[in-house]
Amino acid sequence: QSVLTQPPSMSGSPGQSVTISCTGSNSNIGTNYGVHWYQQLPGTAPKLLIYGDNNRPSGVPERFSGSKSGTSASLAITGLQAEDEADYYCQSYDNSVGGSLVFGGGTKLTVL
Amino acid sequence: QVRLVESGGGLVRPGGSLRLSCAASGFTFRDYYMGWIRQVPGKGLEWISYITETSASANYADSVKGRFTISRDNAKKSLFLQMNSLRAEDTAVYYCAVLAINGWSYFFDNWGQGSLVTVAS
């Protein structure tokens, strides 16, 4: 059972938009600690997609954006492309029990 | 560019030990926190441990506390994970990653390709 909750799967057609949710609590997302998102393409290592709630590293397309409100965060992907088919994970810091880094369970995005 | 290369994975019997290494290049290793994350094949990501730049402190997930030890050698630009008392549930791909800290944000901005550890008799 992951500390951060994500939907196990989502799907969309090319050109559409999808939003992946990440729900936490007052000891992680509900604090000032940032929420970060990773993309893991099949058979590869995860790659940082969004950091600090809504910042894109260099090279990440503007189609990807992040937001946070209360104890939840979201990753929005607009203009869905076939190469966006991947697993997506949210991550934050949890200040309970000595502090730890926590991940969501991951969302498998299928591009129809 | 940043490069992280893990090594040392393999098959080990339950109760055994294994030491993973991660060779870093392309950035000033001594200036960054480093961490380990694992992934059971077909499952999600689990943070395992991180260590500060100077090895002054380290933090561990409850699932490995007391069994795993993280360390680093800044002169050799290397990160290590000593894994003792291994269990079947420790079977996973282990990733080495750079832990970036930006204000209230702790995130992994560069990852290695991973090293598979299999615990089985």
Side-chain angles (χ1 to χ4, degrees):
Chain A
Q1 196 80 355
S2 301
V3 174
L4 305 180
T5 301
Q6 298 179 235
S9 63
M10 296 190 71
S11 63
S13 299
Q16 287 187 332
S17 298
V18 295
T19 300
I20 299 172
S21 62
C22 175
T23 302
S25 68
N26 288 324
S27 63
N28 42 69
I29 296 179
T31 66
N32 287 329
Y33 293 108
V35 177
H36 324 291
W37 292 88
Y38 303 87
Q39 178 192 59
Q40 187 175 31
L41 298 171
T44 70
K47 165 194 161 187
L48 180 66
L49 198 63
I50 297 288
Y51 68 94
D53 301 342
N54 55 15
N55 299 285
R56 282 186 308 276
S58 173
V60 173
E62 292 182 6
R63 305 186 294 105
F64 295 91
S65 64
S67 63
K68 183 175 102 167
S69 178
T71 58
S72 294
S74 296
L75 172 70
I77 310 173
T78 59
L80 209 55
Q81 299 181 4
E83 58 260 37
D84 298 333
E85 185 160 295
D87 294 322
Y88 293 85
Y89 295 90
C90 59
Q91 177 253 310
S92 187
Y93 182 93
D94 192 296
N95 62 16
S96 62
V97 197
S100 61
L101 301 172
V102 291
F103 284 96
T107 298
K108 180 170 182 57
L109 176 63
T110 300
V111 180
L112 302 170
Chain B
Q1 74 280 19
V2 174
R3 190 161 187 242
L4 300 168
V5 180
E6 300 92 339
S7 60
L11 176 64
V12 61
R13 296 189 187 281
S17 298
L18 208 58
R19 189 192 196 211
L20 299 182
S21 300
C22 172
S25 61
F27 66 106
T28 308
F29 181 77
R30 64 177 182 270
D31 288 347
Y32 289 88
Y33 283 39
M34 295 293 296
W36 290 96
I37 305 99
R38 70 183 180 185
Q39 184 174 35
V40 174
K43 301 297 183 183
L45 301 171
E46 179 188 15
W47 165 74
I48 293 301
S49 179
Y50 69 77
I51 187 169
T52 60
E53 306 99 321
T54 61
S55 303
S57 67
N59 202 0
Y60 299 89
D62 287 344
S63 58
V64 305
K65 200 171 292 183
R67 299 188 299 124
F68 290 11
T69 302
I70 191 172
S71 62
R72 64 190 295 164
D73 184 333
N74 285 345
K76 295 183 178 179
K77 300 180 184 179
S78 294
L79 179 72
F80 307 100
L81 186 67
Q82 177 67 43
M83 303 184 292
N84 299 331
S85 303
L86 282 161
R87 307 165 180 165
E89 54 265 36
D90 295 319
T91 294
V93 174
Y94 285 73
Y95 294 101
C96 156
V98 180
L99 180 56
I101 299 174
N102 185 346
W104 290 87
S105 291
Y106 291 66
F107 56 93
F108 298 101
D109 65 353
N110 284 281
W111 297 62
Q113 86 288 349
S115 182
L116 177 62
V117 172
T118 303
V119 185
S121 53

